[in-house]
Amino acid sequence: MPEITTPYATGTPCWVDLMAQDQQAALDFYRDLFGWQGEVGPGEFGGYAVCTLQGKPVAGIGPAMAPEGQPEPPTVWTTYLASTDAPATQDAIVSAGGTLLAPVMDVGGLGRMLIAADPQGAVFGVWQPGEFHGAGLVNEPGTLIWNELNTNDVLGATGFYGESFGIEIQPMEGAEGAYWSLNIGGKGVGGAAQLGDDRPGVPPHWLTYFAVDDVDSTVDALVKRNGSVLAPPFEMMAGRMSVVADPQGATFAVFKPKPM
């Protein structure tokens, strides 16, 4: 069983969360779609909800909160990369040309976090674990299975993520078209795709993939719950997938890998 009981290696995607305009509606939507259990959390953590499946943490859903005088932030899924030293990682991000959006902050005894954007504009988080390591169950239906950097400058991203996290971005063997593997210590922990002319207006971003038993039936269920389909189900090298958005506009992918 893909249960995580030890901290993630630095640079590995370790958690995803969603900041939603309507937190309760988001909790209800993902409960119905993936079977997650979660409820609005304590005020000291801004009501942040840690959603679980099989009793293990799988994702976070919180209320979107704009700084005073600022517009409401978009409803998006954020990928967090693991770090053993968030302040040092923050310094490395800035040194490598990244932009700091929310500096290092303590989250009680759970850990430390920050939010940044790479030089191309893709936003991501950093998580230094304390009592909380991140996702406790992965690669099973209803859980995180892949994190993908979509960028318009693969060479620039290679330098940035290498300097900040030690991530190596290398062509993925057997991949069709422009696709790369994000490697930590020679092990693939995510992917990277080149944004091209076929996706006009799409900014650089990290895309979250959730595993499902059946892509087509999941997409049907999503549409019935007022979600939208951005890329209908299709076959690709590693399995079958679809890119979708929840009713509040947060984009993610659903994916069923080919049998090993």
Side-chain angles (χ1 to χ4, degrees):
M1 176 175 291
E3 180 178 332
I4 308 299
T5 57
T6 59
Y8 289 82
T10 294
T12 304
C14 63
W15 186 243
V16 292
D17 69 14
L18 174 71
M19 296 293 108
Q21 301 293 335
D22 187 334
Q23 182 188 19
Q24 188 59 58
L27 288 167
D28 293 343
F29 174 82
Y30 289 98
R31 177 199 63 214
D32 293 345
L33 191 68
F34 293 140
W36 294 353
Q37 299 299 308
E39 57 186 31
V40 176
E44 64 182 301
F45 295 121
Y48 190 91
V50 174
C51 298
T52 62
L53 190 66
Q54 301 177 31
K56 304 295 181 182
V58 293
I61 296 178
M65 294 179 285
E68 188 173 349
Q70 299 296 314
E72 291 289 340
T75 301
V76 295
W77 279 101
T78 298
T79 291
Y80 288 76
L81 305 177
S83 170
T84 57
D85 187 335
T89 298
Q90 176 174 281
D91 291 344
I93 287 169
V94 173
S95 176
T99 302
L100 195 61
L101 303 179
V104 174
M105 66 187 81
D106 292 315
V107 186
L110 299 176
R112 310 180 85 183
M113 64 165 285
L114 66 96
I115 303 293
D118 68 22
Q120 289 71 48
V123 175
F124 61 93
V126 173
W127 181 253
Q128 176 188 335
E131 299 169 2
F132 183 75
H133 293 160
L137 192 68
V138 297
N139 301 338
E140 287 201 353
T143 72
L144 181 66
I145 190 169
W146 195 244
N147 300 79
E148 179 182 273
L149 172 65
N150 287 257
T151 182
N152 52 19
D153 183 357
V154 174
L155 183 62
T158 299
F160 172 78
Y161 288 99
E163 184 175 336
S164 301
F165 296 96
I167 295 173
E168 295 181 323
I169 300 181
Q170 301 174 329
M172 180 173 282
E173 185 176 348
E176 302 165 0
Y179 202 83
W180 292 261
S181 176
L182 306 183
N183 296 338
I184 294 291
K187 178 183 178 183
V189 297
Q194 174 78 48
L195 286 170
D197 296 336
D198 58 329
R199 302 170 70 184
V202 177
H205 62 280
W206 281 85
L207 179 65
T208 297
Y209 285 60
F210 294 111
V212 295
D213 275 324
D214 186 302
V215 171
D216 297 73
S217 63
T218 300
V219 170
D220 288 345
L222 174 137
V223 170
K224 290 177 182 177
R225 291 167 174 80
N226 298 316
S228 54
V229 181
L230 305 180
F234 64 95
E235 296 291 333
M236 41 85 80
M237 178 184 70
R240 188 167 178 80
M241 66 174 288
S242 176
V243 181
V244 297
D246 70 20
Q248 298 183 61
T251 301
F252 60 98
V254 291
F255 175 65
K256 179 177 175 60
K258 290 180 179 177
M260 298 296 290

